[in-house]
């Protein structure tokens, strides 16, 4: 039977004074796994091999100072993401500024307060767990996005291109960097609902019948059902919205809800344009790739119909960036 017990977080405590290490051990050993280092070189070796969840690091040590150790940690891809808290007798503002400059996340002055040490450690470990949870959710979203590709004639490169188009359009539209990055990561889920559509329809080489197309139109709602209850995850909420609304049209003739204009969430409006533009300019088993000029002409003809006029103008204005993305994520063999 698998051991499902979650291990306690690992803390690396670095100080050249054994008395200081004993104090920290007494404070923290009941809640965390502890490893110890007496100098900077030993700290770097342990950090690389054990990859602790958090490092408490003295500044004034013989050989390498804590500042130098922190710089080395941040310059190593194995250890660069490990948060470092300086624990030091130095309390000058310049020293504190130097600590943050080399990559520390916090600064505790000696003599230490037990309550402060425990609170800071808990806070920064919570941030580490939150980042890990975000990464795991992102990984699941990406894997599900890849799963949808197996049900379609589209490719992984299509998903990459339309996701990056979406991010650039979002930034040009005025969304924040954080909002645009969330959309970048959510966009690969736009067609996840195709998993629920029969292969006889998804892989049909010819034109779909009216009944088959009607069945195909269920995939946005199926996608929303697959993503399900998003809880407090902004990423999944945006992914669900993209799945549900990327086939809606500005003039209200889209599906599944027939939303019109700004009734369509901005993420759905952006992904609709990014998805269609890449589909037009990409080769498929059933068609050749359109030229950029022909695709732009079609997109312009759909301004105010399929697509929001402002987004069409933004896409055309940023064509050099769009072409650069297409070159970066071009299909194998092109």
């Amino acid at each position: 039977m698998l051991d499902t017990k979650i291990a306690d977080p690992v803390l690396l405590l670095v100080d050249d004074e054994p008395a200081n290490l004993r104090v920290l051990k007494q404070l923290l050993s009941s809640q965390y796994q502890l490893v110890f280092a007496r100098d900077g070189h030993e700290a770097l070796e342990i950090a690389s091999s054990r990859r602790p969840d958090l490092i408490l690091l003295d500044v004034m040590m013989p050989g390498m100072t804590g500042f130098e150790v922190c710089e080395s940690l941040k310059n190593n891809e194995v250890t660069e993401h490990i948060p470092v808290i300086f624990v030091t007798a130095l309390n000058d503002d310049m020293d504190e500024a130097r600590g943050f400059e080399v990559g520390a996340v916090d600064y505790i002055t000696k003599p230490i307060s037990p309550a402060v040490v425990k609170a800071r450690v808990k806070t920064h470990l919570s941030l580490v767990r939150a980042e890990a949870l975000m990464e795991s959710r992102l990984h699941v979203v990406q894997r599900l996005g890849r799963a949808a590709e197996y049900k379609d004639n589209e490719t992984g490169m299509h998903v990459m291109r339309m996701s990056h188009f979406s991010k650039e359009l979002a930034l040009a539209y005025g969304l924040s960097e954080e909002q645009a990055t969330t959309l970048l990561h959510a966009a690969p889920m736009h067609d996840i609902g195709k998993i629920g559509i029969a292969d006889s329809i998804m892989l049909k080489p010819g034109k779909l019948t009216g009944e088959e197309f009607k069945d195909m139109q269920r995939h946005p709602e199926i996608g929303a059902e697959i993503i399900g209850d998003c809880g407090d995850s902004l990423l999944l909420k945006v992914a669900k919205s993209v799945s549900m609304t990327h086939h809606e049209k500005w003039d209200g003739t889209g599906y599944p809800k027939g939303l019109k204009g700004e009734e369509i969430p901005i993420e759905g409006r952006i992904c609709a344009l990014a998805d269609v533009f890449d589909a037009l300019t990409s080769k498929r088993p059933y068609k050749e790739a359109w030229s950029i000029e022909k695709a732009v002409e079609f997109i312009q003809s759909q301004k105010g119909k399929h697509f929001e006029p402002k987004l069409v103008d933004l896409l055309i204005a940023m064509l050099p960036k769009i072409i650069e993305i297409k070159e970066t994520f071009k299909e194998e063999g092109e």
Side-chain angles (χ1 to χ4, degrees):
M1 185 174 180
L2 291 175
D3 181 5
T4 56
K5 182 180 182 296
I6 299 175
D8 293 328
V10 177
L11 309 186
L12 170 58
L13 312 181
V14 187
D15 199 305
D16 63 307
E17 291 291 338
N20 293 334
L21 292 177
R22 284 196 294 271
V23 170
L24 290 172
K25 179 180 180 180
Q26 186 176 5
L27 279 177
L28 301 168
S29 61
S30 64
Q31 292 178 278
Y32 308 108
Q33 298 181 65
L34 304 180
V35 287
F36 305 92
R38 295 280 299 275
D39 60 57
H41 294 290
E42 185 182 13
L44 292 175
E45 290 176 6
I46 294 174
S48 293
S49 61
R50 287 295 302 270
R51 300 189 188 184
D53 298 288
L54 183 69
I55 299 174
L56 298 181
L57 178 61
D58 185 28
V59 173
M60 301 306 295
M61 296 185 295
M64 293 182 75
T65 69
F67 294 141
E68 292 169 330
V69 173
C70 191
E71 282 185 310
S72 294
L73 289 167
K74 298 307 171 184
N75 287 327
N76 182 342
E77 63 180 14
V78 173
T79 58
E80 63 180 335
H81 297 300
I82 302 172
V84 175
I85 299 177
F86 281 124
V87 184
T88 177
L90 298 176
N91 56 12
D92 185 272
D93 287 346
M94 292 294 290
D95 295 319
E96 189 169 344
R98 171 69 174 147
F100 289 124
E101 183 181 307
V102 297
V105 297
D106 212 337
Y107 212 93
I108 299 174
T109 56
K110 298 176 182 177
I112 63 171
S113 161
V116 169
V117 171
K118 288 183 176 181
R120 300 285 177 83
V121 168
K122 183 178 179 180
T123 295
H124 288 290
L125 286 175
S126 294
L127 293 173
V128 168
R129 285 193 292 269
E131 288 183 5
L133 180 59
M134 178 64 180
E135 286 184 10
S136 66
R137 284 173 171 168
L138 176 57
H139 184 73
V140 169
V141 166
Q142 290 172 335
R143 293 299 93 189
L144 284 171
R146 288 293 303 275
E149 295 163 24
Y150 288 97
K151 293 283 289 185
D152 206 340
N153 288 318
E154 294 173 351
T155 68
M157 288 298 101
H158 164 71
V159 169
M160 294 296 291
R161 288 191 298 267
M162 69 83 60
S163 297
H164 283 272
F165 293 167
S166 296
K167 179 183 179 181
E168 295 302 325
L169 280 167
L171 290 171
Y173 197 87
L175 275 63
S176 69
E177 181 71 33
E178 182 180 2
Q179 290 171 315
T181 299
T182 298
L183 183 55
L184 168 72
H185 295 318
M189 291 282 279
H190 69 288
D191 272 341
I192 184 62
K194 288 182 177 178
I195 289 175
I197 304 299
D199 287 351
S200 60
I201 295 174
M202 289 303 310
L203 303 178
K204 185 176 179 178
K207 186 177 180 180
L208 299 180
T209 66
E211 193 62 32
E212 288 170 336
F213 185 67
K214 185 177 179 181
D215 197 44
M216 172 70 84
Q217 288 180 313
R218 296 190 303 114
H219 80 267
E221 292 173 302
I222 293 173
E225 289 175 10
I226 288 173
I227 297 170
D229 182 8
C230 305
D232 62 353
S233 171
L234 177 61
L235 174 62
L236 291 179
K237 287 177 182 175
V238 175
K240 186 173 184 177
S241 176
V242 165
S243 173
M244 190 70 176
T245 64
H246 73 286
H247 281 293
E248 300 289 357
K249 296 184 178 181
W250 186 254
D251 63 5
T253 62
Y255 64 89
K257 299 294 186 183
L259 301 179
K260 185 176 182 179
E262 293 186 359
E263 293 175 351
I264 308 167
I266 182 58
E267 58 269 18
R269 292 166 5 225
I270 288 173
C271 285
L273 179 56
D275 188 30
V276 170
F277 183 82
D278 189 67
L280 292 175
T281 56
S282 300
K283 185 177 180 179
R284 294 285 185 269
Y286 52 85
K287 77 169 189 70
E288 293 298 318
W290 289 18
S291 68
I292 297 293
E293 294 74 17
K294 183 179 178 181
V296 167
E297 183 180 345
F298 175 80
I299 294 293
Q300 284 181 314
S301 75
Q302 294 299 306
K303 182 177 177 178
K305 298 176 183 177
H306 191 155
F307 309 114
E308 178 181 356
K310 179 179 178 179
L311 284 171
V312 171
D313 292 341
L314 291 173
L315 178 74
I316 293 169
M318 59 192 287
L319 275 176
K321 181 67 177 178
I322 296 295
I323 294 170
E324 180 184 332
I325 291 170
K326 284 188 69 66
E327 282 298 309
T328 302
F329 299 104
K330 62 185 177 182
E331 303 293 339
E332 187 176 342
E334 284 188 352

